[in-house]
Amino acid sequence: MLRIKINGIVQGVGFRPFIYNLAKSLDLRGFILNSSEGVLIEVCGSASGLSAFLHRLPREVPPAAVIESLTYEDLPDKPYRDFEIRPSLSAEGITSISPDLAVCPDCITEMFDPDDHRYLYPFINCTNCGPRFSIIESVPYDRPATSMHSFPLCSYCAAEYSAPANRRFHAQPVACPECGPRLTLLDKNFIPVNAEPIAETHRLLKENKILGIKGISGFHLACLAFSDLAIAELRRRKHRPDKPFAVMCREEDLNDIVIYSAEDLQLLRSPAAPILILPAKNNILSSLTAPDNPTLGVFLPYAPLHYLLLTDDIRFLIMTSGNYTDEPVAREERELEGLCDFYLTHNRPIVNRSDDSVIRSAAGTNIFIRRSRGYVPHPLKVAGKLVPTFAAGASMKLTFALAQNYSVYLSPYISNGETKAVTEFYREIYERYCQWFKISPELAACDLQPDFFTTHFAESLSLPLMRIQHHQAHLAAVIAEHNISEPVLGIAYDGTGYGTDAAIWGGEIMLADKGDFQRLFHLQYLPLPGGDAAIRHPDRIAFAYLKTLNLDTDLVTTLSPYEKQILEKQIDRKLNTFPTSSLGRLFDCISALLGVCYNVTFEGQSAMALEYACRTDDITHFKPYSFSISNDIIELKPLLTEILQDISSGKDVSFIASRFHRTVLEFTLQALISARHRTGILKVVLAGGVMQNALLLSGIRQLLRKNNFTVYLAEKIPPNDGSIALGQLMIANYRYKG
Ligand code: ZN
Ligand code: ZN
Ligand code: FE
C-alpha cells in the first residue's frame, strides 16, 4: 500500500475526482481526502497498478492544479474494498482557498455545443474552472458558504455534483440555465432593457457604446477597441487621458495585435489568465488604446461570458477595470453610475473583488506589475516559521500581507488611492483573511511614513508594531521569495519611499540581510519642490535639479518665467521641498528635458515614456555619460551637464535616452564593484518600482552577471509596492524573534 501526501494548489481544482478516476482506472482501492496538511491518499492494488499510479499522477493533474511537494511511503496493505473520496479533515486545519480559475476548454466546448444542456450558458464551470476566491463568504469552502447559496441545484446539476467520476463532482459553483445565475442588461438608469442581453450587447458595442460588464471578480468597462469615438469618450468619463487600456481578444486574433512567444501564450492561457503586456504590432486598433506606447496589455477571455461577447465582428474589446480612478474595482453596477451607457450584469454576487493581474513579458522574464485575480489568495511559502503577523503595505498599489507558520497571504490589489471605499475594502479583506486562514496576528508591521492610511490601520490593531524602511522592505520581499539566508547587496531603485533621515529615498544600494540594512550608496540628494505634486510635473523637477546644480535652466521650456521664479523661491526657502535620492525622480527630470513627458497623468508615465524613447532592446553598447561617486554618493552634475550638451547639439532623443539608461547601469556596476570589495558579497537583489523598466532590468542583470555577480529578481511577486507588505512582514518577524 502507498500513503501519498501532496501539497500545492490541490484543493478546489478538481484534484479529488482526478485521483478517483485514475485510481479506479488502475483498479486500485483506498481513499483520498483533503486535510490541513494537503491531500492525503492511500492506495492498495497490484504492483504494476501502483507504479502506474505514481507515474501518471504528477503528469496528468488537472490544469489548475500545481503540485509543490509529493511524498510517499510504502506500508502494509489495508483491507480497502473500493476507492472513495472521504470528507475533509479540516476541523482545526486551514482550508486552502483556490484563486478564481479561467473557464476550461471542456466547458467552452460544451457551451458552444447546441446539444449540450448548458448551450450558450455564460455561467458554465466545473471542478477545473470557474469562480472560487470571488464567491467565498466563509470557510470551509462549500456551496452554502459561497454566493451560490441562493441558487439551489436542479436535479440535472445535483446528479453531476454528486457523481464522483463526473467533472462537476463537488464543483461548488456548478449551475445551469435552469438553476443558476442569469444575465440582465440595464440602461444607464439601471432600468432593465427588454431584449436578449448578449445580442443587444453586441449591437450596442457596435454603436460605440460603453458598457459596464460584470465578470468574475469585478466589473469591466468595455467598448470597441477599433473605435476612436468610444475610447475618447471612455477616457473623458474616466478622467484617464493617457494610461493604456487592456484589450481582450480570442486566441486566434492575438497575432494581429501583439508579438508573443510560446511561453507568453501559455501564460495567457493559464488558469490565472493575466493581462500580459507585450510588444504591440503596427496597430490595427485605435491609437487611443495605448497612446504613444509600443506595448499593449492583452488578455484572453477567461469567463464564459467573455467568449460570448467576442465574435467575428467584435474581435477586440477594451476591457479596463470598472472603477472610478483611485476607487476599488466595482462589484455592483451602481458603483459605476455615470461611467456607462449600459450595464451587462448578473445576479451572482461578487463577494471578494480582485482586479485583473498584470504581467509584463520582456527581457526574457515576466515582471509582475499587479498580482491579484488568479493568484490570490494562494500563499507564498517561506523557509522559516513565522509568528502570526500582519503587514500593512505602503500607499501605492495597496496590498497587505498576513502570515502564519510558513505561509504568507498577500491581499488582492486594493487600489492606488485612499478613499473611503478603499479603506473599507482593505478592512473587509483583512477580516476575511484572518477568519479564513485562522490568523490572529501577534505582530504588526508598517511603513516608516507616519501619514499613510496603512500606517494608521496597523497602529489601530494595538499589537507590537515594527516600522520598516520602504526600500529595506522592497529588498526583503525578493530575499524572501528566493529564501536567501545570508547578507546580500541590494539595489532598490524606486519612486518614493520615506528614509530614516526623513528624506525621500529611491536610488539606494544597500547591504541587506533578513533583519537589517546598511545604506552603502545612494543618488545625490536634490530638491523635490512641492512634494507629491511635483511628481505630476516632471518639468518642475528638471528645473529644481538644474537650478540646484547651477546648470542652465533655459532648456526647461515648458515653464513660464513666472513659474520658474516661484519654484526658485520655493527651493531657496525649502518651502514644502524635500531632498530626494529617488531614481524615479531622475527619470522624471530627464523625461522633461527630452520633451518625452511634461505632464504625468498616471503613476510611472514619465519613466515609461523615457524607456520607450530609447527605441531599442539593448542599451549596453551605448557610451555612458560621466558621473562621479564620492563619499558613497552618486553625483549627478556631470551626467546632467553632458545631457544638456547633447540636447543643445541636437542629438537624437532616442540616443540621449539610451545613453542615460546606460549611465544608470554603469554607476550601478561601479558602486557594486566597490561594495563587493568592502563586503566580499556576490549576491545582488534587484527591487523597486524602477525594475518594471525592462531595459534597465535586463541591462543591469546582463552587466552584473558578466562581472560575476549572482542576480535575484522579483519573479512571483511585483518588484513595485505590491510586494512591500511581504518585505515588511519578513523583517518584522525576524526582529521580533531576534
Ligand atoms: Zn470547466
Ligand atoms: Zn442546474
Ligand atoms: Fe516603492
Side-chain angles (χ1 to χ4, degrees):
M1 183 193 87
L2 294 176
R3 176 184 287 160
I4 305 170
K5 284 184 184 161
I6 302 174
N7 263 300
I9 306 179
V10 287
Q11 299 178 358
V13 290
F15 203 76
R16 288 177 302 165
F18 155 69
I19 294 293
Y20 177 90
N21 287 322
L22 182 61
K24 291 292 259 187
S25 73
L26 295 167
D27 215 12
L28 303 178
R29 305 173 305 282
F31 68 85
I32 172 169
L33 62 78
N34 278 338
S35 79
S36 53
E37 282 135 59
V39 165
L40 178 68
I41 303 169
E42 289 192 2
V43 274
C44 304
S46 68
S48 63
L50 290 175
S51 95
F53 186 77
L54 271 186
H55 180 80
R56 287 174 57 186
L57 193 163
R59 289 168 179 80
E60 297 175 15
V61 291
V66 178
I67 294 182
E68 279 164 7
S69 75
L70 185 157
T71 57
Y72 64 91
E73 38 188 346
D74 216 336
L75 298 167
D77 268 2
K78 289 186 188 170
Y80 295 122
R81 292 203 190 151
D82 202 352
F83 193 88
E84 57 179 15
I85 295 174
R86 290 194 179 168
S88 302
L89 284 181
S90 62
E92 30 55 74
I94 295 156
T95 317
S96 98
I97 292 175
S98 164
D100 293 322
L101 306 170
V103 61
C104 74
D106 290 340
C107 284
I108 288 306
T109 306
E110 287 178 357
M111 186 174 74
F112 286 115
D113 174 2
D115 296 329
D116 194 90
H117 181 64
R118 295 184 182 84
Y119 179 53
L120 301 184
Y121 182 58
F123 302 93
I124 190 168
N125 65 80
C126 71
T127 49
N128 297 324
C129 75
R132 298 287 187 276
F133 172 74
S134 58
I135 59 168
I136 293 175
E137 289 170 351
S138 61
V139 289
Y141 172 60
D142 225 343
R143 193 171 175 104
T146 71
S147 61
M148 289 303 292
H149 63 72
S150 46
F151 301 96
L153 290 172
C154 70
S155 58
Y156 187 93
C157 290
E160 290 187 320
Y161 182 86
S162 45
N166 193 283
R167 205 173 88 243
R168 298 202 167 85
F169 177 67
H170 280 202
Q172 307 304 346
V174 68
C176 78
E178 263 173 61
C179 66
R182 277 160 206 269
L183 290 177
T184 324
L185 185 67
L186 306 175
D187 71 11
K188 66 176 185 205
N189 299 313
F190 309 106
I191 295 167
V193 175
N194 191 11
E196 199 286 309
I198 295 285
E200 186 64 5
T201 297
H202 288 156
R203 200 184 65 77
L204 292 167
L205 285 168
K206 284 189 238 170
E207 276 186 2
N208 298 315
K209 297 286 192 266
I210 297 166
L211 275 89
I213 295 179
K214 185 173 178 180
I216 302 283
S217 59
F219 268 81
H220 286 108
L221 301 177
C223 70
L224 284 190
F226 287 117
S227 169
D228 287 349
L229 197 72
I231 301 173
E233 180 60 16
L234 177 57
R235 289 198 174 281
R236 193 189 64 77
R237 289 186 200 169
K238 235 195 148 180
H239 303 295
R240 189 168 146 167
D242 309 303
K243 193 174 177 183
F245 286 139
V247 171
M248 181 180 276
C249 71
R250 300 176 301 189
E251 197 178 310
E252 64 260 39
D253 294 322
L254 212 47
N255 197 31
D256 286 351
I257 54 170
V258 286
I259 299 166
Y260 60 95
S261 67
E263 293 80 51
D264 294 330
L265 184 60
Q266 207 180 353
L267 187 54
L268 285 165
R269 279 178 180 169
S270 70
I275 294 172
L276 200 54
I277 300 175
L278 291 162
K281 281 196 174 165
N282 242 342
N283 235 317
I284 54 173
L285 306 179
S286 162
S287 61
L288 297 175
T289 303
D292 302 321
N293 196 317
T295 68
L296 184 66
V298 293
F299 53 156
L300 298 177
Y302 62 83
L305 174 62
H306 300 153
Y307 280 86
L308 300 175
L309 293 178
L310 295 164
T311 66
D312 288 343
D313 291 338
I314 302 175
R315 297 199 299 146
F316 304 102
L317 278 178
I318 300 284
M319 289 283 268
T320 189
S321 289
N323 59 350
Y324 275 97
T325 301
D326 289 345
E327 294 288 355
V329 64
R331 60 180 142 190
E332 280 165 27
E333 51 275 4
R334 296 210 176 246
E335 296 164 49
L336 298 175
E337 185 160 12
L339 280 179
C340 303
D341 301 312
F342 291 87
Y343 300 87
L344 181 60
T345 185
H346 59 74
N347 57 346
R348 181 176 69 203
I350 294 169
V351 183
N352 307 298
R353 283 162 284 182
S354 63
D355 254 302
D356 293 316
S357 293
V358 183
I359 298 175
R360 182 169 182 200
S361 168
T365 180
N366 290 324
I367 308 167
F368 264 97
I369 307 296
R370 178 191 296 161
R371 180 187 181 273
S372 202
R373 179 190 51 75
Y375 297 94
V376 293
H378 187 60
L380 300 156
K381 298 286 181 187
V382 296
K385 189 166 176 168
L386 299 166
V387 176
T389 311
F390 166 73
S395 80
M396 299 304 281
K397 319 237 179 234
L398 264 187
T399 309
F400 67 73
L402 271 161
Q404 163 132 291
N405 296 327
Y406 301 93
S407 297
V408 181
Y409 299 89
L410 287 173
S411 74
Y413 166 82
I414 303 225
S415 172
N416 252 346
E418 291 199 353
T419 67
K420 185 161 168 284
V422 168
T423 57
E424 282 169 4
F425 181 22
Y426 185 95
R427 177 174 298 279
E428 174 187 295
I429 296 286
Y430 168 78
E431 284 164 3
R432 291 211 175 113
Y433 268 37
C434 287
Q435 187 219 348
W436 296 342
F437 306 120
K438 297 190 168 61
I439 302 173
S440 318
E442 291 168 21
L443 172 66
C446 65
D447 199 272
L448 276 183
Q449 162 65 255
D451 305 327
F452 289 162
F453 143 72
T454 51
T455 303
H456 298 314
F457 187 90
E459 286 165 348
S460 75
L461 298 177
S462 306
L463 295 168
L465 179 62
M466 307 268 180
R467 296 170 197 270
I468 311 292
Q469 201 282 318
H470 190 88
H471 303 101
Q472 184 193 8
H474 266 306
L475 296 172
V478 183
I479 291 173
E481 181 187 331
H482 295 281
N483 280 320
I484 305 171
S485 50
E486 66 268 36
V488 296
L489 301 175
I491 305 175
Y493 284 167
D494 203 26
T496 300
Y498 202 74
T500 51
D501 57 0
I504 297 172
W505 292 10
E508 316 300 313
I509 295 177
M510 296 174 163
L511 171 64
D513 62 20
K514 286 175 165 180
D516 250 311
F517 77 98
Q518 195 188 324
R519 206 176 178 202
L520 298 178
F521 295 91
H522 64 85
L523 292 193
Q524 167 179 18
Y525 280 146
L526 286 166
L528 187 62
D532 281 350
I535 296 173
R536 291 191 292 275
H537 302 282
D539 48 2
R540 295 187 193 167
I541 298 173
F543 178 82
Y545 281 20
L546 296 181
K547 191 79 211 163
T548 308
L549 295 168
N550 290 317
L551 292 168
D552 185 4
T553 56
D554 286 354
L555 280 171
V556 186
T557 50
T558 47
L559 294 172
S560 68
Y562 177 68
E563 284 172 306
K564 288 184 180 177
Q565 223 173 32
I566 293 180
L567 275 172
E568 219 174 316
K569 270 191 202 147
Q570 208 177 355
I571 298 160
D572 285 346
R573 297 180 193 165
K574 299 193 166 60
L575 286 173
N576 193 24
T577 293
F578 306 90
T580 182
S581 58
S582 161
L583 182 59
R585 297 296 80 81
L586 183 60
F587 268 81
D588 292 341
C589 164
I590 310 296
S591 262
L593 289 177
L594 294 183
V596 299
C597 181
Y598 308 110
N599 217 333
V600 166
T601 64
F602 65 93
E603 192 214 352
Q605 182 177 4
S606 78
M608 271 169 61
L610 195 58
E611 179 188 351
Y612 300 148
C614 296
R615 296 163 186 259
T616 172
D617 293 333
D618 184 8
I619 35 132
T620 49
H621 57 278
F622 282 88
K623 181 171 175 276
Y625 289 114
S626 305
F627 59 89
S628 65
I629 302 182
S630 60
N631 295 323
D632 302 338
I633 291 172
I634 300 157
E635 306 276 357
L636 300 173
K637 187 164 181 174
L639 159 72
L640 285 164
T641 307
E642 290 183 16
I643 287 185
L644 292 182
Q645 281 163 5
D646 267 0
I647 295 172
S648 304
S649 63
K651 291 276 179 357
D652 199 56
V653 166
S654 71
F655 172 79
I656 303 174
S658 303
R659 280 192 76 188
F660 168 69
H661 276 77
R662 180 65 183 84
T663 314
V664 176
L665 302 192
E666 194 58 29
F667 64 62
T668 306
L669 177 67
Q670 295 312 324
L672 281 172
I673 287 174
S674 152
R676 179 166 70 191
H677 279 303
R678 272 187 240 173
T679 62
I681 296 173
L682 288 168
K683 290 191 174 175
V684 181
V685 162
L686 309 185
V690 173
M691 293 304 169
Q692 297 168 120
N693 180 320
L695 275 182
L696 266 193
L697 183 75
S698 67
I700 291 181
R701 190 177 49 182
Q702 195 181 328
L703 217 55
L704 291 183
R705 283 183 179 161
K706 225 191 242 172
N707 284 275
N708 302 317
F709 288 98
T710 313
V711 183
Y712 298 89
L713 319 173
E715 286 163 28
K716 293 184 198 157
I717 53 169
N720 60 40
D721 285 8
S723 63
I724 275 287
L726 170 63
Q728 292 171 343
L729 189 140
M730 299 304 290
I731 298 162
N733 235 271
Y734 188 82
R735 288 195 193 155
Y736 187 65
K737 286 189 286 191

